[in-house]
Every structure is written in C-alpha cells, then in structure tokens.
Amino acid sequence: MRKAAVTTVSTVAGVILLLSLKPHQNPAPDMTASPPSSGTPGASPSPAPTGHRPTGGGASGTYTGSVINTSYGPVQVSVTLSHGRITAVRALRTPSDRPRSQQIAADAVPRLTQEALSAQSAHIDAVSGATYTSEGYARSLQSALDRAGV
C-alpha cells in the first residue's frame, strides 16, 4: 500500500512539473507588438486611422493595426468598417524573408480574412501550420478594431 502511495505522489508531481514547463521558443522576438523605431530598417510608423464615426451607428473607415513581430517576421493588417461592421481586411505586412514563410502567408491570409469577415471580430481560429502568422494577424486586427473603437 505504501509503495502505491509513493508511486501516485511521484506520478502527480511529474505531471505537475511537465505541465508547468513552457514550450521551447527561440530568443527571437515573438508575438509582442512593438512600435517601429526610426533606427529599424524597413520599419515605418503605423498611419493614423482614416475613419470617422457617424452619429447613430458604428465606426466607418479604414483603420491600420499595429505591427506584430513574430518569430518569422512582422504581420500588420488594416480593417475597413462600415457602420461598425467589418467589410474588408487587408494584410499590409506578412512574413516574407523566406520562401516557406511567403508560401505559408499566401495560404493563411485569405483564410484568416474569411474567418474575420465571418466572425466580425478578431476572435478567429488559427490556420493549421501558420500559428505565428495567425496570431500576428489576429492581434494586429484587434489593435485596428481598438483604434476604431469597436
């Protein structure tokens, strides 16, 4: 009986230890939004929102999201709203430094755009095989929606 209790305690401790470990990530910038600095090559400041808020309805216009730096490159989108409804999402920047990154983005972005149009929000499912691009897309979209006040 004592041996079974020790085995159970050891197993539980091992499971807790495994669950507390974080997945391995490169020290490269992950999914944090960072405002571009003037010393960063290729970085440009996000344009100010071009939309307006009509009285009696939601926001209308085009709003640019933050640049989200991922392990595979920056992601940035703009969203077009009409009376608070998402009518278009356009990818302004996607990972493109490697052919494989370009291929993944070319496949994922149209699917993410369709998800955003269907969901009418940034709460969208990630595209399998494009986790970082999906996360960057959703975070940039959310920042654009925040700027629009929706």
Side-chain angles (χ1 to χ4, degrees):
M1 185 69 133
R2 181 174 158 91
K3 186 176 180 181
V6 170
T7 303
T8 302
V9 169
S10 297
T11 302
V12 169
V15 169
I16 291 171
L17 179 62
L18 284 173
L19 292 175
S20 67
L21 293 175
K22 296 188 189 273
H24 175 72
Q25 292 184 345
N26 292 335
D30 58 1
M31 307 307 292
T32 57
S34 62
S37 65
S38 59
T40 305
S44 60
S46 298
T50 58
H52 65 282
R53 293 175 200 239
T55 54
S60 292
T62 299
Y63 299 84
T64 301
S66 299
V67 175
I68 306 299
N69 291 313
T70 74
S71 295
Y72 294 98
V75 178
Q76 183 180 32
V77 302
S78 67
V79 63
T80 301
L81 302 170
S82 178
H83 304 290
R85 293 204 37 90
I86 298 173
T87 59
V89 182
R90 193 175 120 216
L92 304 176
R93 297 176 76 177
T94 58
S96 60
D97 63 335
R98 297 175 215 144
R100 181 68 178 138
S101 296
Q102 292 172 356
Q103 180 183 15
I104 289 170
D107 178 54
V109 167
R111 293 162 68 184
L112 293 165
T113 300
Q114 190 58 47
E115 283 264 336
L117 291 170
S118 295
Q120 287 294 302
S121 76
H123 300 288
I124 56 177
D125 291 332
V127 172
S128 179
T131 305
Y132 290 101
T133 300
S134 298
E135 179 69 19
Y137 185 102
R139 289 186 59 193
S140 184
L141 175 58
Q142 185 60 58
S143 72
L145 293 172
D146 290 346
R147 288 182 178 152
V150 293

